[in-house]
Amino acid sequence: MKLTFSEFKKWHEWAERIDEDVTLWLVEPRQVYLGFVDIVDANKKHIEENEGGIFVLFVAQCYGSQAIIAIRRHLKVSNESISLMRLLEQIRDCASQFTYAFYLEQFPIDPKYVRWQVPTFRQFSEDGKTVAPALVQKDIDELKDLGATIEVLADRKLAHLDKRGFDGSVTFGELHQCIDAFNRVVCKYLKLIRGGGPATLEPSIILDWKKIFRVPFDIRRTTSE
């Protein structure tokens, strides 16, 4: 694989898609789900008295399934799809060609602005001259290690009803640890590919979405009530 300007442009386009997908399918839903859990924990007796357990379980299953499938999507490497893992592997495979000189051609230094290119590139290089494949591989290995069991669960139980079944377990804590890693890695490589990026993909939700739990959820009136 040869690193060209068009190839780098493709990576940029992939990075945009990955940023959006990881934000909308993993990071933002996790933020909402944890807010929902806070509400549930503060109202356990009320929920039990009003038979709300089924609804709470349903929300947890929906969130968990969505997160598991999204993690699987970005761990898979396929010639037909975009994924974080595919992007990282291509960067690793082109590391020897990915020089600081090439980087400056993408993001020239502005003499009137801070020279951010040097510290940014050094996050991915051991000598300051080329991207180090070992450093990219370290991020790949972390994601694969954290997502290994999650990917098996997705393959055997959610994406397919595999005859082998799934006899392991995945906790919400393990899901959130994996999401944290995806958040960190995506933000890290956005800086390399886009020349800048956020410190976190976690959004600031301005709307008071919890308000619906402080007012009647169903305002219909029936004669059976």
Side-chain angles (χ1 to χ4, degrees), residues 78-126:
S78 167
N79 291 332
E80 286 74 41
S81 62
I82 299 168
S83 72
L84 177 58
M85 189 58 63
R86 188 180 178 197
L87 174 62
L88 295 181
E89 290 189 354
Q90 289 197 5
I91 293 173
R92 178 202 61 197
D93 294 344
C94 290
S96 63
Q97 305 170 59
F98 201 155
T99 64
Y100 181 61
F102 178 85
Y103 193 61
L104 288 183
E105 289 181 313
Q106 315 309 312
F107 308 106
I109 291 176
D110 182 351
K112 298 180 181 179
Y113 192 64
V114 62
R115 295 169 63 97
W116 57 266
Q117 291 88 341
V118 173
T120 299
F121 192 80
R122 281 199 173 276
Q123 295 181 54
F124 306 89
S125 176
E126 294 174 335

Side-chain angles (χ1 to χ4, degrees), residues 9-40:
K9 182 181 178 181
K10 180 199 71 178
W11 287 354
H12 189 285
E13 294 170 353
W14 284 9
E16 295 288 342
R17 297 279 300 277
I18 292 166
D19 176 4
E20 180 181 19
D21 196 69
V22 171
T23 299
L24 295 180
W25 283 80
L26 287 174
V27 180
E28 185 173 342
R30 192 262 298 271
Q31 189 175 11
V32 173
Y33 176 71
L34 291 178
F36 176 73
V37 170
D38 286 340
I39 295 172
V40 171

Side-chain angles (χ1 to χ4, degrees), residues 141-157:
D141 291 342
E142 179 187 14
L143 295 181
K144 285 186 175 181
D145 289 345
L146 290 173
T149 304
I150 296 171
E151 186 175 7
V152 173
L153 170 58
D155 286 343
R156 296 189 183 183
K157 198 168 183 178

Side-chain angles (χ1 to χ4, degrees), residues 14-224:
W14 284 9
E16 295 288 342
R17 297 279 300 277
I18 292 166
D19 176 4
E20 180 181 19
D21 196 69
V22 171
T23 299
L24 295 180
W25 283 80
L26 287 174
V27 180
E28 185 173 342
R30 192 262 298 271
Q31 189 175 11
V32 173
Y33 176 71
L34 291 178
F36 176 73
V37 170
D38 286 340
I39 295 172
V40 171
D41 288 344
N43 295 276
K44 285 183 178 179
K45 187 172 185 297
H46 174 68
I47 292 170
E48 291 173 357
E49 290 174 347
N50 290 278
E51 301 179 358
I54 292 177
F55 173 69
V56 172
L57 178 61
F58 169 74
V59 171
Q61 289 175 331
C62 289
Y63 163 70
S65 297
Q66 174 172 315
I68 289 167
I69 288 296
I71 289 170
R72 173 188 186 263
R73 179 160 65 243
H74 284 285
L75 289 175
K76 293 290 187 184
V77 176
S78 167
N79 291 332
E80 286 74 41
S81 62
I82 299 168
S83 72
L84 177 58
M85 189 58 63
R86 188 180 178 197
L87 174 62
L88 295 181
E89 290 189 354
Q90 289 197 5
I91 293 173
R92 178 202 61 197
D93 294 344
C94 290
S96 63
Q97 305 170 59
F98 201 155
T99 64
Y100 181 61
F102 178 85
Y103 193 61
L104 288 183
E105 289 181 313
Q106 315 309 312
F107 308 106
I109 291 176
D110 182 351
K112 298 180 181 179
Y113 192 64
V114 62
R115 295 169 63 97
W116 57 266
Q117 291 88 341
V118 173
T120 299
F121 192 80
R122 281 199 173 276
Q123 295 181 54
F124 306 89
S125 176
E126 294 174 335
D127 59 9
K129 297 178 181 179
T130 61
V131 169
L135 295 181
V136 182
Q137 186 64 47
K138 183 178 179 182
D139 291 325
I140 290 173
D141 291 342
E142 179 187 14
L143 295 181
K144 285 186 175 181
D145 289 345
L146 290 173
T149 304
I150 296 171
E151 186 175 7
V152 173
L153 170 58
D155 286 343
R156 296 189 183 183
K157 198 168 183 178
L158 297 183
H160 313 282
L161 192 59
D162 197 295
K163 61 183 179 181
R164 293 170 294 178
F166 177 77
D167 57 4
S169 65
V170 173
T171 66
F172 281 104
E174 290 168 336
L175 271 183
H176 294 165
Q177 187 180 9
C178 194
I179 292 172
D180 284 338
F182 270 82
N183 187 2
R184 179 186 61 77
V185 172
V186 169
C187 289
K188 177 180 178 181
Y189 284 85
L190 285 177
K191 294 179 176 65
L192 179 70
I193 302 302
R194 293 197 314 204
T200 179
L201 299 179
E202 288 190 0
S204 297
I205 302 177
I206 300 175
L207 297 177
D208 182 13
W209 66 270
K210 295 181 181 179
K211 182 178 179 180
I212 191 61
F213 295 105
R214 300 194 297 270
V215 299
F217 198 94
D218 187 348
I219 60 175
R220 295 173 299 175
R221 295 291 183 266
T222 66
T223 56
S224 60

